[in-house]
Amino acid sequence: MHRRHLLTALAGAPLLPITAAAQDAAWPARPVTILVPFVAGGPSDITARSIAMRMQQTVGQPVVAENRPGANGEVASRAVVRAAPDGHTLLVGSIGVFAINAALRPNLGYDPIRELAPVTLAVTTPNVLVINPERVPARTVEELVAWLRANRGRTSYSTSGVGSSDHLTMELFKRETGTDQEHVPYGGGAAAATDLIAGNVQLSFQNLGTVAGHIAGGRLRAIAVTGAERSRLLPEVPTMVESGLRDFVVTSWQAVMAPAGVSGALLARVNAAVVEALRHPETRARLEGIGLDVVANSPEEYRRFQEAEIARWRGVVQAAGIRAE
C-alpha cells in the first residue's frame, strides 16, 4: 500500500507546472481589464484606451479600460495589487503612481516595486517651461533666471498638485538656478495652465500635451523643454541642456504593470501583446500626435528605469522638504 501511494504521488508531481504552463498559454481566457487611476481624458487614460483598442484585436478577448480614480492613484493600485496574477487585470499609471508616490509618501498603501510586476514603459513626454508672456519679459532660460532673481519674493508658479511631476521639476529647477518662486498647486494641469494664462502666477512646468495649444495660440510662451532632444511639436524651442542646465532631463511617463506574482512566461506574453499594441502605426500616430513618445520596452528595462526614477525623485523631495498633503 505504501509503495502504491508513493508511485501515485511521484506520477502526479509533474502535473502542477504543466497545468500552470497551460494556464499561461491560454491567456487571455476572459476579458482583460486595464485600470486607470485617474479620470478620463488625461495621459494615463489616453494611453490605456489606445492600448486596449489595438490589443483586443490581437488577443481574442475584449480589453476594457476602466477609470478608478482616488488618492493620487492609490485606489486603483491597491485594486491591482489584490487582483489574481493571471494577466487579466493590468494597470496603466503615471510617474506619480509608480515613482513619485514612493518617494513622497512614506505610508503609501502599496509598494510599486514589490507588489506590482513591470510590463513595459509605455510612453514618455517632456515637460515644458512656460511663462505668461504679458507678465514675464523673458525668451530664454538665462533671461528668465535673471528676472526671477531680480524679482525674488514676488514670483509664483502653478502645478497640477503637490508631488506632481511638474511640481518636482520646478523644485529641481529652483535648486539648479538658485531661484525661489512660490508654489501654487491646483487640481490638475488644465487648471494650472488656466491660472497662468490669467496672470495669477508667472510660470510653470507642464506636460507638453497640456499646453501645446496655448503655446500655438500665443497665450503662453515656451522657454525650454525638458527632454533629451527638442520636441517635434516645438522644434524651435531649445532643451534645458541646450539652455545651459547640464543633465536637466526630465520626462513625465506612463507605464503598464500587473500584480506581483505573475509568472515569467505569462509576463512575457502580456508584454508582447502590449508592446505590439503600442508599436502599431495607428496607435503610435495617435499618441505622438498629442506629444507622447512611444517606448514599449521590456519588463527588465522598465524596472531599471523605474527604480532609478524613484531614487532620483526621493532626492529632490528630501532636498526640497516636500510633504504630501
Side-chain angles (χ1 to χ4, degrees), residues 14-280:
L15 292 178
L16 286 176
I18 292 173
T19 300
Q23 289 175 344
D24 289 355
W27 177 88
R30 60 180 187 276
V32 175
T33 299
I34 303 177
L35 292 186
V36 180
F38 306 109
V39 298
S44 293
D45 181 68
I46 292 170
T47 301
R49 294 184 187 281
S50 296
I51 292 170
M53 185 183 305
R54 179 61 192 172
M55 187 171 155
Q56 68 182 359
Q57 298 176 27
T58 62
V59 300
Q61 290 284 351
V63 181
V64 180
E66 178 185 322
N67 298 94
R68 193 81 64 87
N72 295 320
E74 187 168 338
V75 171
S77 298
R78 293 183 69 175
V80 174
V81 165
R82 294 192 297 266
D86 57 9
H88 292 92
T89 305
L90 304 175
L91 177 67
V92 170
S94 65
I95 177 177
V97 175
F98 298 140
I100 293 176
N101 277 357
L104 183 65
R105 302 170 61 189
N107 298 316
L108 189 62
Y110 65 96
D111 189 317
I113 296 294
R114 293 187 302 174
E115 296 183 304
L116 292 170
V119 176
T120 188
L121 176 61
V123 297
T124 64
T125 186
N127 288 327
V128 186
L129 176 57
V130 286
I131 63 169
N132 181 311
E134 297 182 358
R135 298 287 303 277
V136 182
R139 293 185 175 274
T140 67
V141 169
E142 184 179 9
E143 291 174 356
L144 176 61
V145 170
W147 183 84
L148 289 170
R149 289 173 177 170
N151 290 274
R152 189 179 298 271
R154 300 192 298 274
T155 59
S156 58
Y157 68 98
S158 61
T159 74
S160 57
V162 173
S164 60
S165 68
D166 45 310
H167 177 201
L168 297 192
T169 302
M170 185 63 80
E171 290 298 327
L172 184 61
F173 177 80
K174 288 165 60 177
R175 188 174 71 182
E176 294 291 320
T177 60
T179 57
D180 191 26
Q181 42 279 8
E182 182 183 358
H183 179 211
V184 183
Y186 292 83
T194 297
D195 232 29
L196 176 58
I197 292 167
N200 295 321
V201 296
Q202 292 80 44
L203 69 161
S204 184
F205 277 101
Q206 285 299 316
N207 290 172
L208 175 57
T210 300
V211 295
H214 298 309
I215 294 169
R219 294 178 292 276
L220 296 175
R221 178 182 298 150
I223 300 297
V225 296
T226 65
E229 300 176 350
R230 294 193 181 198
S231 168
R232 62 187 173 279
L233 297 185
L234 299 172
E236 74 287 356
V237 178
T239 66
M240 298 293 289
V241 174
E242 288 178 300
S243 301
L245 294 183
R246 192 172 54 129
D247 299 328
F248 198 110
V249 177
V250 177
T251 56
S252 182
W253 47 269
Q254 317 295 319
V256 185
M257 302 199 83
V262 62
S263 73
L266 179 54
L267 185 61
R269 288 174 61 87
V270 175
N271 170 267
V274 172
V275 165
E276 181 183 5
L278 284 165
R279 291 180 179 174
H280 189 273

